[in-house]
Amino acid sequence: MRLNQHEIDVIKAATAEIFGNEAEIRLFGSRIDDAARGGDIDLMVTVNQPVDNPAWDCARLEGSIIMKLGEQKIDVLLEAPGLKRFPIHEIAREQGIRL
């Protein structure tokens, strides 16, 4: 996994602030490959309660992380009751590393 402890702590704190302490975070994509270089930070956030404004909350999370870590590409995939699931959700769940 190519995140340092500071980056993990920032991601966890920002996620808890927006989605609550029970939110589960998985890192997936190129950042789980230690041999790769660069790449986006791809996160899947899973919550057990419905989310009223999923796009807004994902954008807020991305912005919060960028404000604390600096400019970089961050993609947030949300998994919550009532939201449509796509194949990328299964990929993130199967290959992702829980933070």
Side-chain angles (χ1 to χ4, degrees):
M1 169 173 47
R2 292 183 297 117
L3 289 179
N4 62 39
Q5 191 59 51
H6 173 66
E7 293 169 324
I8 293 169
D9 291 344
V10 165
I11 290 167
K12 284 182 171 182
T15 302
E17 182 179 314
I18 294 168
F19 292 104
N21 289 325
E22 302 300 317
E24 181 180 293
I25 311 160
R26 281 190 165 77
L27 174 71
F28 68 101
S30 63
R31 289 292 184 116
I32 63 171
D33 181 357
D34 290 334
R37 298 186 65 148
D40 305 352
I41 297 177
D42 296 312
L43 303 170
M44 182 169 81
V45 176
T46 303
V47 296
N48 293 324
Q49 71 279 353
V51 177
D52 291 335
N53 301 301
W56 174 246
D57 288 343
C58 288
R60 287 178 50 217
L61 178 57
E62 292 170 9
S64 178
I65 294 169
I66 289 170
M67 292 295 290
K68 294 171 182 145
L69 295 181
E71 185 65 36
Q72 51 191 301
K73 182 79 169 102
I74 298 170
D75 293 320
V76 176
L77 178 66
L78 183 61
E79 180 179 53
L83 294 181
K84 187 172 181 176
R85 289 183 53 84
F86 296 94
I88 191 69
H89 287 91
E90 282 309 313
I91 293 169
R93 184 164 285 285
E94 290 173 11
Q95 299 176 2
I97 297 172
R98 191 171 174 178
L99 300 183

